Amino acid sequence: MQDLGTVGLIGVGTIATAMVEGLVGGDGGPSRVILSPRGARNAAELSARHERVEVAASNREVTPGADVVVLSMLPDQLHDAVHDLRLHDGQIVISVLAGVSLTELRDALDTDLPIVRTIPLPPVARRGAVTVMTPAPSVVTQLFDLLGGCLEVADEAQLSVFSAMTGCFTGLLEYVATLSRWAGSRGVSPVDAERFIRDAVAGLAPALRDRETSMDQLIRSHETPGGLNEQLRHEFFDQGTVGSLESALDHLLRRVTE
Ligand SMILES: NC(=O)c1ccc[n+]([C@@H]2O[C@H](COP(=O)([O-])OP(=O)(O)OC[C@H]3O[C@@H](n4cnc5c(N)ncnc54)[C@H](OP(=O)(O)O)[C@@H]3O)[C@@H](O)[C@H]2O)c1
């Protein structure tokens, strides 16, 4: 298995923790992971669990030995976190910050080093999510291949569309929650209703993961012509509903590109 060098992370919150779990939680990956001291609890837990993981004394001490430096703080924490970093030739920077452009990152870091913007999702912890990214050198694609795969897009404009799409997940869950609440309001036990619908929706996962089947085929294969699913899909997803979803997504797109 190929050694993917040393990865340093500045900011050890939710997504950084998921990435580190994925990178060192199985075969292969970086030989060493150096964490910033911020996100102290996560950093301590990760280093206690994984031999390859250590915690630096300061942000500044994360970078000298790292081949790849991951920026994984919140966007408004960027300047404070990177102001005294020392970067050197040969290093590559990965940013996971939503809505922070390459130009802003380059200015904050004051560097000409290659920077790759990425959108990792929490299932990278189990090496189970494809990561969208701007064009990336092979060491970066190898790291993310290990975490579930890479989806390189041509430019930041395309990355922003994917970034806006990441705002959809709790809305999908709210759809499921609404179904349970509706059933509860019609005299059914809410607990039973929720169990029924959660199991049924979770059961769609294998079909969703089958990339050979288009979404259109998937929809057709789950409904009978003239049946209940077709009726709800047509009645609910009318022009009004689809239009308001698209307009909400446009708002997200504006927000991540402003
Ligand atoms: N969560 C996701 O699913 C997800 C997915 C894709 C992208 N993202 C992006 O990932 C970034 C992090 O999100 P998150 O959900 O992981 O946030 P989070 O859990 O709040 O983590 C932010 C981390 O940054 C640390 N930090 C704050 N100031 C710092 C400084 N000056 N130096 C070093 N570290 C500092 C925080 O440490 P303290 O706890 O000590 O303050 C914390 O560990 C965001 O920019 C977000 O856009 C998140």
Side-chain angles (χ1 to χ4, degrees):
M1 195 67 74
Q2 197 179 4
D3 170 12
L4 297 177
T6 297
V7 175
L9 292 99
I10 311 288
V12 193
T14 306
I15 202 64
T17 300
M19 289 173 70
V20 174
E21 288 289 2
L23 287 173
V24 300
D27 290 340
S31 51
R32 197 172 158 221
V33 171
I34 309 172
L35 303 177
S36 71
R38 285 292 294 274
R41 193 168 161 182
N42 291 332
E45 282 177 13
L46 286 165
S47 67
R49 258 204 318 277
H50 301 287
E51 246 178 46
R52 287 184 267 174
V53 178
E54 63 198 78
V55 186
S58 66
N59 288 354
R60 197 174 161 82
E61 285 176 43
V62 171
T63 53
D67 302 298
V68 171
V69 176
V70 179
L71 304 179
S72 43
M73 69 294 298
L74 298 173
D76 62 4
Q77 298 165 335
L78 171 68
H79 285 271
D80 192 35
V82 305
H83 73 276
D84 67 346
L85 290 190
R86 288 170 300 171
L87 297 168
H88 58 75
D89 283 352
Q91 288 179 312
I92 295 165
V93 177
I94 295 174
S95 166
V96 306
L97 279 63
V100 180
S101 70
L102 289 174
T103 304
E104 290 170 284
L105 292 163
R106 208 168 280 300
D107 284 352
L109 291 165
D110 192 20
T111 183
D112 291 327
L113 290 174
I115 305 178
V116 181
R117 285 185 62 190
T118 62
I119 311 178
L121 295 175
V124 294
R126 303 184 303 279
R127 300 185 169 182
V130 70
T131 298
V132 179
M133 63 188 66
T134 52
S138 68
V139 64
V140 175
T141 57
Q142 285 171 54
L143 285 170
F144 284 99
D145 277 342
L146 195 66
L147 296 179
C150 300
L151 208 166
E152 274 182 82
V153 293
D155 53 34
E156 290 188 277
Q158 291 193 15
L159 186 95
S160 296
V161 176
F162 282 96
S163 189
M165 277 206 289
T166 65
C168 78
F169 300 125
T170 58
L172 288 168
L173 297 176
E174 186 62 32
Y175 180 93
V176 175
T178 303
L179 294 172
S180 312
R181 282 196 296 267
W182 171 84
S185 76
R186 297 295 186 276
V188 166
S189 148
V191 174
D192 289 347
E194 191 173 305
R195 179 178 168 201
F196 171 73
I197 198 64
R198 285 175 70 153
D199 278 7
V201 172
L204 297 171
L208 267 175
R209 283 193 173 278
D210 168 17
R211 280 184 269 153
E212 301 296 312
T213 310
S214 70
M215 280 309 293
D216 197 44
Q217 288 169 323
L218 208 57
I219 288 171
R220 308 284 161 209
S221 70
H222 283 82
E223 67 187 20
T224 311
L228 297 177
N229 276 274
E230 188 190 69
Q231 182 176 339
L232 180 75
R233 187 166 62 82
H234 286 161
E235 271 187 44
F236 181 64
F237 288 98
D238 60 4
Q239 275 188 341
T241 315
V242 172
S244 66
L245 179 57
E246 288 177 348
S247 125
L249 287 166
D250 283 340
H251 296 157
L252 299 192
L253 183 56
R254 208 170 308 139
R255 183 170 157 192
V256 295
T257 45
E258 261 169 8

